[in-house]
């Protein structure tokens, strides 16, 4: 127990050190280089602490939004609710970002318990997973849902008990696996899909490598599968229903399948999130998805393990390689450019729900496989055999494997050196940043339905800032717009609320204030009436033309209050 606590404490120390810039202002700054996703997660944490509902019209009124198609992280919202209630949702977000890698690394160290003998090797491998380039990239993007990458290592630990060890309690193991999957459904469903896909890859590799053993275990695995499915249905039936058939869900593909593909160049090119890097070239995806770096040391370790390693190392290489190929997406990209090569992900483009996975996020499976290899490499047998004597210990999966005598020892130390080089090339850079998370309470809007200008958007820098004002106002009012994934009666797929006539007119007059704009204030007013809007709020340095347009639409002169212009919609315009 003291060793485990020391491991957890070491992960926490590294995470706090990386995020030290936020420690002096947990309530006013958010971890990450961009503000949009941090704001989105903060809104959902606050919403869960305010009211636990998975369909809400506090944004996008009156259609509402479906939490399970968004980054609602309801499980984390419940876990972090005490912090939200006492210190605020921004502090809860920051604490969640700090703890995510810690819990993920601890889960990885636990999962290696039956695979790697040395506690130190397991601790190092868990730390490698916790602060891998994949994790560092998502820390920069403020992706709270992805830095809690707990499911993949938990599934690894359970799969080792299901597929490798004696299967004496299949019902219990199946139920535990189902519980892990179900809890992930309450955290983030895309990682659930990634975890299931990784579990299938592992089962396939083991079945091909050991067909007789797989056949003998099949009855027990069927019982485990039934227990798993029953547990998932019981614990996560409702959120999965919301994903498959719930209201306000997207009615078509969210993004181009190429959008979330890993760039082949990223495999060998470190980005600025790692200590050893040069000038980061242009690569496919945004900064949060450029976490696919492996490096020559990791690839060399994989080759050596594949050639002279034990069974466990070869399985890790096979699963990691398959996940890496899938992470490249449907077409091969090198330096942002497609090179005309179709890849296996093409076969998944029409599979419901699976097609919505951003392929690059399978990199979490790749880095877990690399962490396993490093753990096995560092798990060099403590005793050195005599020259010519066979290695009698069980197959540890190290690159030394079962080679006898000095030759095996030399190769074992080569594995240790390879693992150490991977650690060196993956060291995180001191590059973590924070963004302002300021907000203004608007108590005068209590009970209103509010249209905001400038409109709420998904723009990475400041786009959804109006959501923070709603949080600061304790959700006293509803917003007709929002930052979300979903749909409405006129738009099968939305990544933010659709433009409406009032917003189109405001944008027009802001660009061309004279002569009179070809906009229809009566039509904009009718749209406000149809959506139940009672107040139009104009924030920021609004131009006189926008204020004049808003006054013509609402029939109100406007009032300056709480740092913004408030235009109340007369009763004749309300439903």
């Amino acid at each position: 127990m003291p060793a485990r606590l020391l491991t957890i404490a070491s992960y926490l120390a590294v995470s706090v050190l990386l995020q030290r810039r936020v420690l002096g202002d947990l309530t006013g700054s958010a971890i990450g280089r961009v503000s949009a996703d941090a704001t989105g997660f903060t809104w959902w944490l606050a919403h869960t602490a305010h009211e636990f509902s998975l369909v809400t019209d506090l944004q996008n009124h009156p259609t509402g939004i479906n939490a399970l198609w968004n980054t609602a992280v309801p499980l984390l919202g419940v876990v972090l609710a005490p912090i939200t209630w006492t210190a605020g949702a921004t502090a809860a977000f920051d604490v969640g970002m700090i703890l995510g890698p810690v819990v993920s690394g601890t889960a990885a160290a636990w999962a290696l318990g039956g695979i790697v003998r040395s506690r130190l090797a397991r601790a190092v491998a868990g730390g490698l997973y916790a602060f891998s380039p994949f994790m560092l990239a998502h820390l920069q993007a403020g992706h709270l849902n992805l830095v809690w990458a707990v499911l993949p290592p938990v599934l690894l630990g359970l799969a080792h008990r299901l597929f490798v060890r004696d299967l004496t309690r299949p019902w219990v193991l199946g139920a535990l696996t189902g519980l892990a999957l179900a809890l992930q459904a309450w955290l983030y469903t895309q990682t659930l899909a990634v975890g299931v896909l990784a579990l299938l890859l592992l089962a396939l590799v083991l079945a091909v490598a050991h067909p007789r053993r797989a056949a003998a275990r099949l009855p027990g695995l069927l019982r485990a599968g039934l227990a798993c499915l029953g547990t998932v249905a019981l614990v996560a039936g409702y959120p999965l229903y919301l994903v498959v058939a719930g209201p306000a869900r997207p009615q078509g593909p969210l993004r181009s399948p190429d959008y979330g593909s890993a760039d082949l160049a990223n495999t060998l090119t470190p980005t600025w999130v790692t200590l050893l890097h040069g000038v980061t070239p242009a690569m496919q995806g945004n900064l949060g998805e450029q976490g696919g770096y492996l490096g020559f040391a990791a690839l060399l370790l994989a080759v050596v393990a594949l050639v002279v390693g034990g069974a466990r190392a070869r399985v890790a290489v096979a699963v990691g390689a398959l996940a890496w190929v899938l992470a490249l997406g449907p077409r091969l990209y090198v330096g942002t450019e497609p090179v005309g090569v179709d890849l296996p992900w093409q076969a998944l483009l029409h599979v419901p729900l699976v097609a919505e996975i951003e392929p690059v996020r399978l990199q979490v499976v790749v880095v877990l496989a690399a962490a396993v290899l490093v753990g096995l490499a560092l798990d060099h047998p403590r005793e050195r055999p005599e020259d010519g004597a066979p290695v009698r210990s069980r197959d540890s999966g190290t690159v030394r494997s079962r080679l006898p005598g000095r030759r095996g020892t030399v190769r074992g130390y080569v594995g240790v050196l390879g693992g150490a080089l991977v650690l060196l090339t993956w060291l995180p850079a001191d590059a973590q940043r924070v963004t302002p998370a300021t907000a203004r309470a608007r108590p005068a809007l209590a009970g209103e339905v509010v249209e905001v200008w400038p409109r709420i958007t998904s723009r990475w820098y400041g786009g959804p800032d109006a959501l923070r004002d709603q949080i600061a106002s304790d959700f006293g009012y509803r917003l007709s717009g929002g930052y979300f994934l979903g749909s409405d009666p006129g738009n099968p797929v939305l990544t933010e609320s659709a433009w409406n006539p009032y917003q189109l007119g405001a944008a027009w007059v802001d660009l061309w204030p004279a002569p009179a704009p070809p906009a229809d204030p009566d039509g904009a007013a009718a749209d406000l009436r149809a959506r139940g809007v009672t107040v139009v709020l104009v924030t920021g340095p609004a131009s006189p033309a926008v204020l004049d347009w808003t006054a013509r639409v609402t029939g109100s002169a406007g009032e300056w209050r709480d740092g913004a212009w408030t235009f109340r919609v007369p009763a004749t315009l309300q439903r």
Side-chain angles (χ1 to χ4, degrees), residues 363-440:
Q363 284 290 153
V364 70
V365 180
V366 181
V367 298
L368 179 59
V372 171
L373 287 180
V374 170
L376 291 171
L378 298 179
D379 194 29
H380 184 58
R382 289 180 289 273
E383 71 282 355
R384 174 180 291 189
E386 298 296 330
D387 290 349
V391 177
R392 299 186 183 277
S393 60
R394 65 179 181 174
D395 177 17
S396 65
T398 65
V399 294
R400 178 175 183 269
S401 188
R402 296 176 179 171
L403 292 172
R406 184 174 300 168
R407 185 182 176 193
T409 301
V410 169
R411 292 191 177 181
Y413 283 119
V414 169
V416 172
L417 177 61
L421 287 175
V422 174
L423 285 172
L424 178 65
T425 56
W426 283 21
L427 284 176
D430 185 23
Q432 296 298 312
R433 294 291 183 268
V434 298
T435 54
T438 56
R440 181 186 290 271

Side-chain angles (χ1 to χ4, degrees), residues 114-115 156-168 173 202 206 210 213-214 217 221 311-312 315 394-395:
I115 301 171
L156 173 62
L158 291 169
H160 186 258
R161 288 158 175 79
L162 284 166
F163 301 148
V164 178
R165 292 185 179 181
D166 291 337
L167 190 55
T168 56
L173 286 173
L202 178 57
L206 290 173
H210 306 284
R213 184 185 301 176
R217 300 176 77 88
L221 289 175
R312 299 172 189 181
V315 168
R394 65 179 181 174
D395 177 17

